Amino acid sequence: MKRLLKTRGMLLNENDRLRALAAEAEKLSAECRVANKNLREGEEKFRLVTETIQDVFWMITPDLGRMLYISPGYEKIWGRTRESLYREPRSFLDAVHPEDRAYMDEKIQDPNKDVEFRIIRPDGSIRWIRTRAFPILDEQGNLVKITGVATDITELTDKISQLQEAESLSAIGRTVAFVAHEVRNPLQIIQLGAETLQRELQHEARYRETLQEILHGVDVLNDTISQLLDYARPACLDMSPTTIEEIIEGALKNVSRRLDNIDVKTQVETGRERILADKEKCVQVLYNILLNAVEAMPDGGRISIRSRFISQNGARKAEISIADSGIGIREENLARLSEPFFTTKLGGIGLGLSICRKILQAHNGTLNITSKEHQGTTVEIVLPAQSENELPSEHPVA
């Protein structure tokens, strides 16, 4: 009887122990379910973030042999599919600019530093990339994977470059203004002296040619100083309603003395319709371009001037085209025409086109040049054009 009671007690104790274990198992199971739910939610949040951001989030094995994850941003920035990267994890290096390959081969060994490099997309465009990697270690301190973020910093790099260029040009402008001022003062003294001598010695033929050469040299230097100052100063505009026809007529009038052996044809489709612009500066732009055309045809030739209104990127524009039959421009020189102080003219200083571009940029306009050697040059100017009701009234009512 005692043995039965003891056995019964043991069974009851075992039963209680099993019940406690079952309760503990149920508790652990509940905790696992919560943990799995949190894990799923975390994964969903992770994918939501990485698949919607513009940057590239990536995860790879330490030997770069297997890509564990790559976000959709890779396709937008690199222009290549994620599948290609999963197949060949190191293929992202194929897009690295040749000049940055050696640099990348060195930096890719250290996952703790920011790296900036260029890539070439399949369409040939170049993008600047900044990437930062983060090593993932296990409990024993072993590197098990590497994660990182790559960002397209092309626009930032361009803005920094533009800012640096603007600061450099500003410093050049201040220097030019100072030098021009210091040169112009003694130049005026030379001019006044030469003019005085010319009056006093007007009957002395032996001095006349020398004085004329001195005054011509003064005029050339004054013109050079004026160009330097125009380039250095901000393009301040005096905007008023005008017409393309008035701008063309003003430029042709200024260059008329150089057109003796030039056949000029004009086709102004814009008529007397007004635009808002700085007429004087726009005339200066056309004058410089016409003068270049005349100088490209020393033995005579043809100049064709056309204008029309066009639609460009949804906006209304006025387009002026000046084409000549001159000697044209070599292909290697065509790409350098936007550089200040670059010129192919003997005695030129290479600021005419730079000043033209500066004036047009202040108008939110553009200048484009196409040319072939021995076949002539065409210059296209595009200016914003407001409709009639957008222009200020020339005679406002009080």
Side-chain angles (χ1 to χ4, degrees), residues 1-159:
M1 185 67 178
K2 288 181 179 181
R3 183 179 294 178
L4 289 172
L5 291 173
K6 183 178 180 181
T7 301
R8 184 171 178 274
M10 292 173 63
L11 290 171
L12 290 173
N13 289 337
E14 184 66 18
N15 185 55
D16 291 340
R17 189 177 72 82
L18 291 173
R19 286 178 181 274
L21 289 173
E24 183 67 21
E26 180 60 30
K27 180 181 177 182
L28 291 173
S29 177
E31 290 177 353
C32 286
R33 288 195 295 272
V34 172
N36 285 332
K37 180 182 177 183
N38 292 337
L39 181 60
R40 287 193 299 272
E41 291 176 352
E43 288 177 347
E44 289 175 3
K45 291 178 181 178
F46 168 79
R47 291 192 177 276
L48 181 63
V49 171
T50 58
E51 294 191 7
T52 54
I53 61 174
Q54 298 298 315
D55 297 340
V56 181
F57 181 85
W58 49 270
M59 187 182 299
I60 197 169
T61 55
D63 62 354
L64 308 185
R66 187 162 67 94
M67 183 63 64
L68 302 175
Y69 178 76
I70 185 74
S71 67
Y74 177 77
E75 297 184 348
K76 297 177 182 178
I77 296 176
W78 257 259
R80 292 166 168 81
T81 65
R82 289 187 289 171
E83 287 73 16
S84 65
L85 197 59
Y86 282 121
R87 287 194 304 269
E88 180 48 60
R90 298 180 68 94
S91 64
F92 77 95
L93 291 170
D94 296 340
V96 175
H97 194 286
E99 295 178 6
D100 297 341
R101 292 272 173 85
Y103 168 79
M104 279 296 292
D105 289 341
E106 175 188 352
K107 294 297 181 181
I108 202 171
Q109 305 302 323
D110 187 353
N112 293 300
K113 294 182 179 179
D114 287 350
V115 180
E116 293 184 6
F117 58 96
R118 290 164 295 175
I119 62 170
I120 303 177
R121 289 168 49 89
D123 61 6
S125 61
I126 297 176
R127 312 298 295 179
W128 273 97
I129 307 297
R130 176 186 292 156
T131 185
R132 177 67 186 272
F134 306 90
I136 305 298
L137 308 178
D138 62 14
E139 294 179 355
Q140 288 74 39
N142 299 316
L143 181 64
V144 293
K145 63 183 72 172
I146 303 172
T147 65
V149 178
T151 304
D152 186 341
I153 60 168
T154 305
E155 291 185 7
L156 176 61
T157 302
D158 290 344
K159 288 179 180 178

Side-chain angles (χ1 to χ4, degrees), residues 338-351:
S338 60
E339 296 179 14
F341 304 105
F342 173 79
T343 181
T344 57
K345 296 181 185 178
L346 188 63
I349 63 172
L351 286 180

Side-chain angles (χ1 to χ4, degrees), residues 75-363:
E75 297 184 348
K76 297 177 182 178
I77 296 176
W78 257 259
R80 292 166 168 81
T81 65
R82 289 187 289 171
E83 287 73 16
S84 65
L85 197 59
Y86 282 121
R87 287 194 304 269
E88 180 48 60
R90 298 180 68 94
S91 64
F92 77 95
L93 291 170
D94 296 340
V96 175
H97 194 286
E99 295 178 6
D100 297 341
R101 292 272 173 85
Y103 168 79
M104 279 296 292
D105 289 341
E106 175 188 352
K107 294 297 181 181
I108 202 171
Q109 305 302 323
D110 187 353
N112 293 300
K113 294 182 179 179
D114 287 350
V115 180
E116 293 184 6
F117 58 96
R118 290 164 295 175
I119 62 170
I120 303 177
R121 289 168 49 89
D123 61 6
S125 61
I126 297 176
R127 312 298 295 179
W128 273 97
I129 307 297
R130 176 186 292 156
T131 185
R132 177 67 186 272
F134 306 90
I136 305 298
L137 308 178
D138 62 14
E139 294 179 355
Q140 288 74 39
N142 299 316
L143 181 64
V144 293
K145 63 183 72 172
I146 303 172
T147 65
V149 178
T151 304
D152 186 341
I153 60 168
T154 305
E155 291 185 7
L156 176 61
T157 302
D158 290 344
K159 288 179 180 178
I160 291 174
S161 177
Q162 291 169 8
L163 179 60
Q164 291 173 340
E165 182 179 359
E167 290 175 347
S168 176
L169 290 177
S170 177
I172 292 173
R174 291 192 295 270
T175 303
V176 165
F178 172 78
V179 172
H181 180 268
E182 294 301 310
V183 171
R184 181 161 276 177
N185 285 338
L187 200 60
Q188 288 176 343
I189 296 173
I190 295 171
Q191 183 176 13
L192 289 172
E195 289 173 348
T196 300
L197 288 172
Q198 193 177 44
R199 287 194 300 271
E200 294 292 332
L201 303 172
Q202 58 182 325
H203 301 299
E204 298 285 343
R206 56 179 174 166
Y207 298 123
R208 190 181 304 146
E209 185 177 346
T210 301
L211 290 172
Q212 287 176 345
E213 289 177 355
I214 291 173
L215 289 172
H216 174 71
V218 169
D219 289 339
V220 171
L221 286 173
N222 269 320
D223 183 60
T224 300
I225 290 171
S226 296
Q227 288 190 56
L228 288 169
L229 289 173
D230 284 341
Y231 177 71
R233 292 168 179 161
C236 298
L237 303 181
D238 182 15
M239 306 289 276
S240 62
T242 186
T243 68
I244 298 297
E245 188 174 24
E246 289 171 344
I247 293 171
I248 294 174
E249 287 175 351
L252 286 172
K253 181 180 178 181
N254 291 345
V255 80
S256 59
R257 289 178 298 174
R258 306 288 296 273
L259 298 176
D260 290 341
N261 58 348
I262 306 292
D263 180 24
V264 179
K265 301 291 185 183
T266 61
Q267 185 177 349
V268 183
E269 297 180 2
T270 54
R272 303 296 299 178
E273 192 168 357
R274 295 182 301 157
I275 65 169
L276 192 63
D278 186 320
K279 178 182 174 182
E280 183 178 341
K281 285 187 169 59
C282 287
V283 167
Q284 179 186 350
V285 170
L286 258 68
Y287 168 76
N288 284 339
I289 293 169
L290 287 170
L291 191 59
N292 287 342
V294 170
E295 292 174 349
M297 298 180 292
D299 299 323
R302 300 181 308 278
I303 294 178
S304 174
I305 306 172
R306 297 182 179 181
S307 68
R308 58 176 182 159
F309 279 118
I310 61 173
S311 179
Q312 190 178 83
N313 298 325
R316 191 164 169 271
K317 308 279 187 177
E319 180 187 77
I320 307 172
S321 171
I322 303 99
D324 66 60
S325 60
I327 58 177
I329 303 169
R330 292 180 180 178
E331 187 175 353
E332 61 268 26
N333 291 334
L334 194 59
R336 300 189 61 192
L337 291 181
S338 60
E339 296 179 14
F341 304 105
F342 173 79
T343 181
T344 57
K345 296 181 185 178
L346 188 63
I349 63 172
L351 286 180
L353 282 176
S354 294
I355 293 170
C356 290
R357 290 184 189 278
K358 184 176 181 179
I359 292 172
L360 291 172
Q361 286 172 358
H363 280 84

